[in-house]
Amino acid sequence: MTPAIGKRVHMEPQTIHREDIVRWINDFAQVVAVNRDHLTELDAAIGDGDHGVNMDRGFRAVAAKLPSVGDKDIAQILKTTGMTLVSTVGGASGPLYGAFFLQEALSSAGKEELSLTDWIAMLEAALNGIIARGKAAIGDKTMLDALAPALQALKDAAIRNATLAEALTQSADAAQDGMQATIPLVARKGRASYLGERSAGHIDPGAASMYLLLKTAASTLASG
Ligand code: ADP
Ligand code: MG
């Protein structure tokens, strides 16, 4: 039976599968390559100018590794991503993004597909993993300041019974707002904190890469 046209909106994918996770990470590797110089310029303003280079090195290594785990489950794919980042990225962002993916792996253990609720639990675990690793608080002008509002937006969307696509889009928008909101902040963690008050007036590079990661999740995962 052909579904009525008006029902098409309900046929959007409401779950995320293993192949979607692989696409998300591969797509992000390309986004990082395209934005490498932009991220590095942001880091040149308040850090040591290597964030784009660090992220590109790490995600190139991840993209090279993914074919070997393409048939493994979601948790294995995320774990390999996290371990590869930890071992290839020298800067602060390597262990922190490593923690993000390793905690997502633990949170998704044994799952064949992910619902919006699962995705929220994974991002919450990722946020807590970054906090456990880097000891930063929200408002310290770090990647957390893009991730935390994105997580909140996902929770709000779930309460409103939003579709997966809507929720992911709203979380990307919140991450973008959070990234912009790092501009006036004074950095209290990482290299930018060495600048003290002079770190104000610039976007935090890690918040910018985190926004790109969540924006890529919206564009890749919402399209199914
Ligand atoms: P490095 O600072 O070692 O040069 P990167 O330039 O790759 O590493 O990454 C810098 C980004 O890492 C910052 O913009 C910030 O978002 C993030 N960051 C640094 N320290 C912390 C921390 N303790 N907790 C969370 N994020 C942090
Ligand atoms: Mg740096």
Side-chain angles (χ1 to χ4, degrees), residues 105-159:
L106 287 174
S107 173
S108 60
K111 294 207 154 78
E112 292 287 326
E113 58 177 39
L114 307 169
S115 65
L116 175 56
T117 308
D118 295 326
W119 184 255
I120 291 171
M122 286 163 67
L123 270 199
E124 180 122 54
L127 177 92
N128 289 330
I130 292 173
I131 292 172
R133 177 88 217 182
K135 310 277 184 272
I138 314 297
D140 282 354
K141 196 180 181 102
T142 71
M143 54 179 70
L144 292 174
D145 294 314
L147 178 54
L151 174 61
Q152 188 57 50
L154 284 172
K155 291 179 178 174
D156 294 346
I159 288 168

Side-chain angles (χ1 to χ4, degrees), residues 28 32 36 39-40 43 47-59 62 81-102 126 129-131 133-134 141-144 147 189-192 204-210 213:
F28 182 60
V32 166
R36 190 184 67 160
L39 293 172
T40 284
D43 195 36
D48 57 352
D50 64 357
H51 188 55
V53 174
N54 286 342
M55 294 294 286
D56 192 41
R57 185 192 312 115
F59 279 90
V62 168
T81 299
M83 286 178 24
T84 305
L85 292 174
V86 170
S87 63
T88 57
V89 181
S93 55
L96 294 166
Y97 274 103
F100 178 105
F101 286 100
L102 290 171
I130 292 173
I131 292 172
R133 177 88 217 182
K141 196 180 181 102
T142 71
M143 54 179 70
L144 292 174
L147 178 54
K189 278 284 182 296
R191 285 180 196 276
D204 174 65
S209 57
M210 183 60 73
L213 179 64

Side-chain angles (χ1 to χ4, degrees), residues 7-39:
K7 292 233 164 135
R8 278 225 178 120
V9 68
H10 299 297
M11 295 177 64
E12 285 173 9
Q14 294 305 323
T15 51
I16 297 166
H17 297 90
R18 181 170 53 77
E19 311 81 67
D20 301 321
I21 294 293
V22 172
R23 266 191 314 128
W24 171 43
I25 297 169
N26 272 321
D27 287 356
F28 182 60
Q30 289 185 27
V31 168
V32 166
V34 168
N35 285 277
R36 190 184 67 160
D37 294 349
H38 168 62
L39 293 172

Side-chain angles (χ1 to χ4, degrees), residues 12-14 116 162-171 217-219 221-223:
E12 285 173 9
Q14 294 305 323
L116 175 56
T163 64
L164 180 64
E166 287 164 353
L168 291 172
T169 302
Q170 286 160 16
S171 98
S219 57
L221 302 177
S223 63

Side-chain angles (χ1 to χ4, degrees), residues 141 184-187 192-202:
K141 196 180 181 102
L185 297 177
V186 171
S193 66
Y194 307 158
L195 285 186
E197 300 286 327
R198 282 183 294 133
S199 62
H202 305 274

